[in-house]
Amino acid sequence: MHYDLTDLRLFVAIAEARNLTRGAERVHLAASSASHRIRLLEESTGTPLLVRQARGVSLTRAGDVLLRHARQVFAQLEQMHADLSPYAKGVRGHVSLWANTHATHAFLPDSLATFLQRHPQVGISLEEHTSPEVVLAVARGEVEVGVVADTVAGAEVELIPYRADRLVLIAPPDHPLARRARTAFAEVLDYPFVMLHAGSAIHTFTMNAAAALGRHLEVRIQVRSFEAVCRMVSAGVGLGLVPRSVIAEHSQRLPLAVVELEEPWAQRDLQVCVRKRELLSRFAADLVDCLTGSRLEPR
């Protein structure tokens, strides 16, 4: 196949405008030139991409497929530009960091803000994963630094204390569970829950905890942040499972009942995870120092 980014941009513009002339105008091409490019693009792909109609165009099935992939191509290009931009601005270092949901939402924003203020020449790529995924990635050398609540048996990593916290159940004040001080997880599985989105580390962890009891968690709604979980729970949508540190931020302005969970896994002491601390790059070592409040001996 022979085509370039201009062809793809033109095709996306026409597909979104549903009109060849207006699409051509968006990418600053004459209609005749645009028509010629589209014809060559169709010849290159070996299939019609557009259906010409009296008042515009519509996409064939092949056109739908090309549009989806073209949008992904341009999204990847934008991400590439975003990743390269810091280097043009003088960033001289980069650290890869994976963390579970708890750490990402509750503690890392403040910790990373402090680190980046001290090290403006360093960039950080932060990804959210489950604790076992983080541990294994660090053990394999794919990620320099992780923050986890659980480890993996046999994984050759070093763990350094970061923060202590605990998962608690939150309920609307008028909920039947609101009068309890403590409860077992198995006793709340008959009620609907408000959860973080599927794919988040805490969503995966909680669903697995229910599955271990041979039960299925009823998720009434999924949201994108712990704050949204608290708001939904206070409005009576369902129960929630959140770190205690999150409650402190929202309990003053949201009506919430907090119930302790009688489960060993509810204690979520976070730890910084590295493969071998003495082998960290200088910037990764500085990040670990900032997270743990410690200093390595000069190397």
Side-chain angles (χ1 to χ4, degrees):
M1 295 184 186
H2 301 284
Y3 52 85
D4 57 24
L5 291 178
T6 299
D7 294 329
L8 292 182
R9 286 194 180 92
L10 171 63
F11 177 77
V12 171
I14 292 171
E16 291 177 346
R18 300 289 171 170
N19 183 281
L20 191 146
T21 300
R22 288 199 297 271
E25 290 173 351
R26 288 186 182 184
V27 293
H28 310 292
L29 288 174
S32 57
S33 177
S35 180
H36 179 66
R37 280 181 172 271
I38 292 298
R39 181 173 57 78
L40 293 179
L41 181 60
E42 289 178 321
E43 290 177 359
S44 179
T45 57
T47 184
L49 301 171
L50 300 175
V51 177
R52 279 72 170 175
Q53 299 168 331
R55 295 189 176 182
V57 298
S58 61
L59 298 181
T60 64
R61 289 187 178 182
D64 282 326
V65 172
L66 179 60
L67 177 61
R68 173 165 51 85
H69 283 287
R71 283 171 169 165
Q72 291 173 350
V73 166
F74 290 120
Q76 286 294 319
L77 283 173
E78 287 302 317
Q79 186 60 56
M80 180 185 72
H81 295 155
D83 290 344
L84 290 174
S85 177
Y87 294 96
K89 297 176 181 176
V91 170
R92 297 191 298 276
H94 183 269
V95 181
S96 57
L97 171 64
W98 283 16
N100 68 353
T101 307
H102 187 171
T104 302
H105 288 255
F107 297 113
L108 282 176
D110 289 339
S111 295
L112 295 183
T114 298
F115 174 79
L116 293 171
Q117 287 171 0
R118 297 175 182 173
H119 300 82
Q121 78 280 26
V122 180
I124 295 176
S125 60
L126 171 63
E127 294 187 25
E128 182 185 312
H129 295 272
T130 64
S131 290
E133 290 172 340
V134 176
V135 172
L136 292 175
V138 170
R140 292 191 296 259
E142 298 170 5
V143 182
E144 290 184 274
V145 183
V147 181
V148 300
D150 300 306
T151 188
V152 175
E156 295 184 359
V157 296
E158 297 181 17
L159 300 172
I160 311 148
Y162 174 49
R163 295 285 190 277
D165 208 347
R166 187 174 180 84
L167 290 178
V168 295
L169 187 78
I170 55 173
D174 59 352
H175 194 279
L177 292 173
R179 295 185 296 274
R180 296 190 186 184
R182 313 177 67 83
T183 186
F185 186 54
E187 296 176 0
V188 305
L189 294 178
D190 291 330
Y191 298 100
F193 270 72
V194 178
M195 294 288 296
L196 287 189
H197 58 94
S200 65
I202 198 166
H203 183 282
T204 302
F205 173 84
T206 308
M207 299 299 279
N208 287 342
L213 297 171
R215 302 288 301 277
H216 176 73
L217 196 69
E218 180 189 346
V219 179
R220 177 170 287 176
I221 190 169
Q222 298 178 36
V223 294
R224 303 295 299 187
S225 68
F226 283 129
E227 179 181 5
V229 172
C230 292
R231 288 183 176 275
M232 288 290 180
V233 171
S234 70
V237 174
L239 302 176
L241 198 63
V242 299
R244 181 181 293 281
S245 57
V246 171
I247 300 299
E249 301 175 18
H250 306 295
S251 60
Q252 299 297 323
R253 52 192 178 84
L254 294 175
L256 292 169
V258 180
V259 183
E260 293 287 344
L261 278 172
E262 297 175 337
E263 306 293 341
W265 50 257
Q267 187 63 36
R268 307 297 284 170
D269 292 338
L270 298 172
Q271 302 178 87
V272 173
C273 174
V274 298
R275 192 176 187 184
K276 286 186 179 295
R277 194 170 181 184
E278 67 271 15
L279 299 180
L280 289 172
S281 67
R282 180 167 67 88
F283 294 123
D286 288 345
L287 175 60
V288 171
D289 291 342
C290 183
L291 295 177
T292 62
S294 61
R295 284 285 168 192
L296 288 173
E297 294 297 322
R299 291 177 291 170

Coordinates of all heavy atoms in Angstrom, one line a residue, residues 37 114 133 297:
R37 N -6.5 12.3 -4.4 CA -5.8 11.5 -3.3 C -6.7 10.4 -2.8 O -6.2 9.3 -2.5 CB -5.5 12.5 -2.2 CG -4.2 13.3 -2.4 CD -3.9 14.2 -1.2 NE -2.6 14.9 -1.4 CZ -1.5 14.4 -1.0 NH1 -1.4 13.2 -0.4 NH2 -0.3 15.0 -1.1
T114 N 6.3 16.9 44.9 CA 7.5 17.3 45.7 C 8.8 16.9 45.0 O 9.7 17.7 44.8 CB 7.5 16.6 47.1 OG1 6.3 17.1 47.8 CG2 8.7 17.0 47.9
E133 N 1.2 -7.3 39.2 CA 1.7 -6.9 37.9 C 2.9 -6.0 38.1 O 3.9 -6.1 37.4 CB 0.6 -6.2 37.1 CG -0.5 -7.1 36.6 CD -1.6 -6.3 36.0 OE1 -1.8 -5.1 36.3 OE2 -2.4 -6.9 35.3
E297 N 23.8 5.9 50.8 CA 25.2 6.3 51.0 C 25.7 6.7 49.6 O 25.3 6.1 48.6 CB 26.0 5.2 51.6 CG 25.6 4.8 53.0 CD 25.8 6.0 53.9 OE1 26.9 6.7 53.8 OE2 25.0 6.2 54.8

